[in-house]
Short mmCIF file of all heavy atoms in Angstrom, two decimals:
data_model
loop_
_atom_site.label_atom_id
_atom_site.label_comp_id
_atom_site.label_asym_id
_atom_site.label_seq_id
_atom_site.Cartn_x
_atom_site.Cartn_y
_atom_site.Cartn_z
N PRO A 216 24.54 -3.29 -8.23
CA PRO A 216 23.77 -2.04 -8.16
C PRO A 216 22.37 -2.22 -7.57
O PRO A 216 21.67 -3.17 -7.89
CB PRO A 216 23.68 -1.59 -9.61
CG PRO A 216 24.72 -2.36 -10.34
CD PRO A 216 24.90 -3.63 -9.59
N LEU A 217 22.00 -1.30 -6.70
CA LEU A 217 20.66 -1.25 -6.11
C LEU A 217 20.14 0.18 -6.34
O LEU A 217 20.71 1.13 -5.82
CB LEU A 217 20.70 -1.57 -4.62
CG LEU A 217 19.36 -1.57 -3.91
CD1 LEU A 217 18.48 -2.73 -4.39
CD2 LEU A 217 19.55 -1.65 -2.40
N LEU A 218 19.09 0.29 -7.14
CA LEU A 218 18.52 1.59 -7.45
C LEU A 218 17.35 1.87 -6.53
O LEU A 218 16.55 0.97 -6.23
CB LEU A 218 18.03 1.63 -8.89
CG LEU A 218 19.02 1.23 -9.98
CD1 LEU A 218 18.37 1.36 -11.34
CD2 LEU A 218 20.28 2.05 -9.89
N GLU A 219 17.22 3.11 -6.10
CA GLU A 219 16.06 3.53 -5.30
C GLU A 219 15.21 4.42 -6.19
O GLU A 219 15.66 5.44 -6.68
CB GLU A 219 16.49 4.30 -4.06
CG GLU A 219 15.31 4.74 -3.21
CD GLU A 219 15.72 5.52 -1.97
OE1 GLU A 219 16.92 5.58 -1.66
OE2 GLU A 219 14.82 6.07 -1.32
N LEU A 220 13.97 3.99 -6.39
CA LEU A 220 13.02 4.76 -7.18
C LEU A 220 11.96 5.32 -6.23
O LEU A 220 11.33 4.57 -5.50
CB LEU A 220 12.36 3.89 -8.24
CG LEU A 220 13.31 3.19 -9.22
CD1 LEU A 220 12.53 2.24 -10.13
CD2 LEU A 220 14.08 4.20 -10.03
N GLY A 221 11.80 6.62 -6.25
CA GLY A 221 10.82 7.27 -5.38
C GLY A 221 9.94 8.21 -6.18
O GLY A 221 10.21 8.51 -7.34
N PRO A 222 8.87 8.70 -5.56
CA PRO A 222 7.96 9.58 -6.26
C PRO A 222 8.63 10.90 -6.65
O PRO A 222 9.47 11.41 -5.92
CB PRO A 222 6.83 9.80 -5.27
CG PRO A 222 7.36 9.40 -3.95
CD PRO A 222 8.48 8.45 -4.18
N SER A 223 8.25 11.39 -7.81
CA SER A 223 8.78 12.69 -8.25
C SER A 223 7.95 13.80 -7.62
O SER A 223 7.08 13.56 -6.79
CB SER A 223 8.70 12.78 -9.78
OG SER A 223 7.35 12.88 -10.18
N LEU A 224 8.18 15.00 -8.05
CA LEU A 224 7.48 16.15 -7.50
C LEU A 224 6.00 16.17 -7.85
O LEU A 224 5.26 16.99 -7.34
CB LEU A 224 8.15 17.44 -7.98
CG LEU A 224 9.61 17.60 -7.55
CD1 LEU A 224 10.21 18.86 -8.14
CD2 LEU A 224 9.72 17.62 -6.04
N MET A 225 5.54 15.24 -8.70
CA MET A 225 4.13 15.21 -9.08
C MET A 225 3.26 14.65 -7.96
O MET A 225 2.07 14.84 -7.95
CB MET A 225 3.93 14.39 -10.35
CG MET A 225 4.57 15.03 -11.56
SD MET A 225 4.41 14.02 -13.03
CE MET A 225 2.69 14.28 -13.41
N GLY A 226 3.84 13.95 -7.01
CA GLY A 226 3.09 13.45 -5.87
C GLY A 226 3.34 14.39 -4.71
O GLY A 226 4.08 15.34 -4.86
N PRO A 227 2.80 14.23 -3.55
CA PRO A 227 1.85 13.19 -3.17
C PRO A 227 0.45 13.47 -3.72
O PRO A 227 0.18 14.54 -4.23
CB PRO A 227 1.87 13.24 -1.65
CG PRO A 227 2.28 14.62 -1.31
CD PRO A 227 3.15 15.09 -2.44
N PHE A 228 -0.40 12.47 -3.58
CA PHE A 228 -1.74 12.54 -4.13
C PHE A 228 -2.77 12.64 -3.02
O PHE A 228 -2.55 12.18 -1.91
CB PHE A 228 -2.01 11.29 -4.98
CG PHE A 228 -1.07 11.18 -6.15
CD1 PHE A 228 0.08 10.43 -6.07
CD2 PHE A 228 -1.34 11.85 -7.33
CE1 PHE A 228 0.95 10.34 -7.14
CE2 PHE A 228 -0.49 11.78 -8.41
CZ PHE A 228 0.66 11.02 -8.31
N ALA A 229 -3.91 13.23 -3.34
CA ALA A 229 -4.98 13.42 -2.35
C ALA A 229 -5.68 12.11 -2.02
O ALA A 229 -6.24 11.97 -0.93
CB ALA A 229 -5.98 14.44 -2.85
N PHE A 230 -5.65 11.15 -2.93
CA PHE A 230 -6.35 9.89 -2.72
C PHE A 230 -5.37 8.73 -2.79
O PHE A 230 -4.48 8.70 -3.63
CB PHE A 230 -7.45 9.70 -3.77
CG PHE A 230 -8.49 10.78 -3.74
CD1 PHE A 230 -8.47 11.81 -4.68
CD2 PHE A 230 -9.49 10.78 -2.78
CE1 PHE A 230 -9.41 12.82 -4.65
CE2 PHE A 230 -10.43 11.78 -2.74
CZ PHE A 230 -10.40 12.81 -3.67
N GLU A 231 -5.57 7.78 -1.89
CA GLU A 231 -4.69 6.62 -1.83
C GLU A 231 -4.69 5.84 -3.13
O GLU A 231 -3.65 5.37 -3.59
CB GLU A 231 -5.10 5.71 -0.66
CG GLU A 231 -4.14 4.57 -0.44
CD GLU A 231 -4.47 3.75 0.80
OE1 GLU A 231 -5.60 3.83 1.30
OE2 GLU A 231 -3.57 3.04 1.26
N TRP A 232 -5.84 5.72 -3.80
CA TRP A 232 -5.91 4.95 -5.04
C TRP A 232 -5.05 5.57 -6.13
O TRP A 232 -4.51 4.85 -6.96
CB TRP A 232 -7.35 4.76 -5.51
CG TRP A 232 -8.06 6.01 -5.94
CD1 TRP A 232 -8.85 6.81 -5.18
CD2 TRP A 232 -8.00 6.63 -7.24
NE1 TRP A 232 -9.30 7.88 -5.90
CE2 TRP A 232 -8.80 7.80 -7.18
CE3 TRP A 232 -7.38 6.30 -8.43
CZ2 TRP A 232 -8.98 8.63 -8.27
CZ3 TRP A 232 -7.56 7.15 -9.52
CH2 TRP A 232 -8.35 8.29 -9.44
N GLU A 233 -4.88 6.89 -6.13
CA GLU A 233 -4.03 7.54 -7.13
C GLU A 233 -2.57 7.13 -6.94
O GLU A 233 -1.87 6.82 -7.90
CB GLU A 233 -4.14 9.07 -7.03
CG GLU A 233 -5.48 9.63 -7.46
CD GLU A 233 -5.55 11.12 -7.21
OE1 GLU A 233 -5.35 11.54 -6.05
OE2 GLU A 233 -5.79 11.86 -8.17
N ALA A 234 -2.12 7.15 -5.69
CA ALA A 234 -0.75 6.74 -5.39
C ALA A 234 -0.55 5.26 -5.71
O ALA A 234 0.47 4.88 -6.29
CB ALA A 234 -0.44 7.02 -3.92
N GLN A 235 -1.51 4.43 -5.35
CA GLN A 235 -1.41 3.00 -5.63
C GLN A 235 -1.38 2.72 -7.13
O GLN A 235 -0.67 1.83 -7.59
CB GLN A 235 -2.56 2.25 -4.97
CG GLN A 235 -2.42 2.16 -3.47
CD GLN A 235 -3.63 1.50 -2.82
OE1 GLN A 235 -4.71 1.44 -3.39
NE2 GLN A 235 -3.43 1.01 -1.61
N GLN A 236 -2.14 3.50 -7.89
CA GLN A 236 -2.18 3.34 -9.34
C GLN A 236 -0.80 3.59 -9.94
O GLN A 236 -0.35 2.85 -10.81
CB GLN A 236 -3.22 4.30 -9.92
CG GLN A 236 -3.45 4.14 -11.40
CD GLN A 236 -4.52 5.11 -11.87
OE1 GLN A 236 -4.62 6.24 -11.43
NE2 GLN A 236 -5.35 4.64 -12.80
#
Side-chain angles (χ1 to χ4, degrees):
L217 181 68
L218 307 181
E219 180 180 351
L220 303 174
S223 70
L224 298 177
M225 294 177 74
F228 299 95
F230 300 101
E231 186 174 19
W232 66 267
E233 291 174 303
Q235 288 176 340
Q236 185 178 38

